[in-house]
Amino acid sequence: MPKRTRAGAVTVLAVAGLTVGAALTVPAGAAPKAASAPRFLAASELPPYLSSTWTAGKVTDGVPEEMRFCLDEALLAYDSRYRPFRTDLDAGARQLTIVTGTAAKAKALASSLNKAFKSCAGRIEAADPEVEARYKSYGSLPVEEGARVHGLHTETSWGATDIRLLSVGRDGRTVTVVDWSQLGDFSDAPVSAFKKTTTKAVNKLY
């Protein structure tokens, strides 16, 4: 089983790099990979970004650093894979996918992930008094077993400001999380395009 390591660094961008030092090992009871593995987004399916194109990285076992502070506690019992995406400028994105043992477990995991991200703004502020964080809900999407879209804005005492969109979607016993971030605030978030990306991500799993 893959191992995920939680680093001890604190970063500003989307405040997603805030981590706690501890080594995590996926338990023996985690679900085996499906015979037909879920598919990931292509770079062209992400929200268009200024004059820079998106580049897709390799699909990798584990959880990306940017997601750990907000979501790691909800993911402790599960094996996962992710694909990172980058631009030549300040935007980045990630897609995380988890195959659980049953549809009921996937439903519970999706609920836990939604709750974890919704409460993350408060945890960010508690972890770093130099950062202010605000959460916004962008509602649900009628795709497969459903998806929810969230927003998170962070601003430091010295003026650095970051905006993040994250969605949690489910198809049967599989959950996928799409995470997008760049410099800016809520007015800079491509919400409509991100919802289309989320719908594609869930529909594309199988």
Side-chain angles (χ1 to χ4, degrees):
M1 288 289 180
K3 294 184 179 179
R4 304 198 301 273
T5 303
R6 306 175 71 183
V10 176
T11 63
V12 172
L13 180 60
V15 196
L18 287 165
T19 57
V20 181
L24 303 176
T25 303
V26 177
K33 293 180 181 178
S36 176
R39 294 178 296 163
F40 285 79
L41 289 166
S44 61
E45 294 170 316
L46 292 171
Y49 183 69
L50 302 178
S51 59
S52 174
T53 57
W54 288 96
T55 299
K58 295 181 179 180
V59 175
T60 304
D61 291 337
V63 178
E65 291 289 340
E66 296 88 347
M67 290 186 180
R68 289 183 174 178
F69 181 76
C70 286
L71 302 181
D72 231 3
E73 293 301 318
L75 292 168
L76 291 182
Y78 297 94
D79 187 11
S80 59
R81 306 185 79 205
Y82 72 94
R83 167 173 278 176
F85 302 86
R86 63 174 179 81
T87 64
D88 293 333
L89 301 175
D90 63 303
R94 299 137 292 275
Q95 182 186 6
L96 177 76
T97 297
I98 309 100
V99 180
T100 69
T102 66
K105 288 182 178 179
K107 182 178 180 179
L109 174 59
S111 178
S112 295
L113 290 168
N114 283 314
K115 290 177 180 177
F117 196 76
K118 188 174 182 179
S119 65
C120 194
R123 287 182 279 128
I124 288 170
E125 293 187 336
D128 190 344
E130 298 295 316
V131 179
E132 292 185 3
R134 286 197 303 141
Y135 167 83
K136 181 181 287 189
S137 172
Y138 288 108
S140 59
L141 298 174
V143 54
E144 297 298 343
E145 276 70 61
R148 295 200 65 83
V149 180
H150 311 270
L152 178 66
H153 174 241
T154 57
E155 185 172 2
T156 68
S157 59
W158 57 91
T161 180
D162 300 290
I163 182 63
R164 184 177 181 187
L165 296 176
L166 182 141
S167 60
V168 179
R170 182 170 72 90
D171 182 359
R173 64 190 185 98
T174 300
V175 176
T176 193
V177 180
V178 182
D179 184 25
W180 169 99
S181 60
Q182 72 167 52
L183 300 178
D185 56 28
F186 285 119
S187 66
D188 300 303
V191 178
S192 295
F194 184 77
K195 286 183 175 181
K196 291 178 182 179
T197 293
T198 295
T199 299
K200 288 179 182 179
V202 178
N203 277 329
K204 191 176 182 178
L205 288 172
Y206 298 104

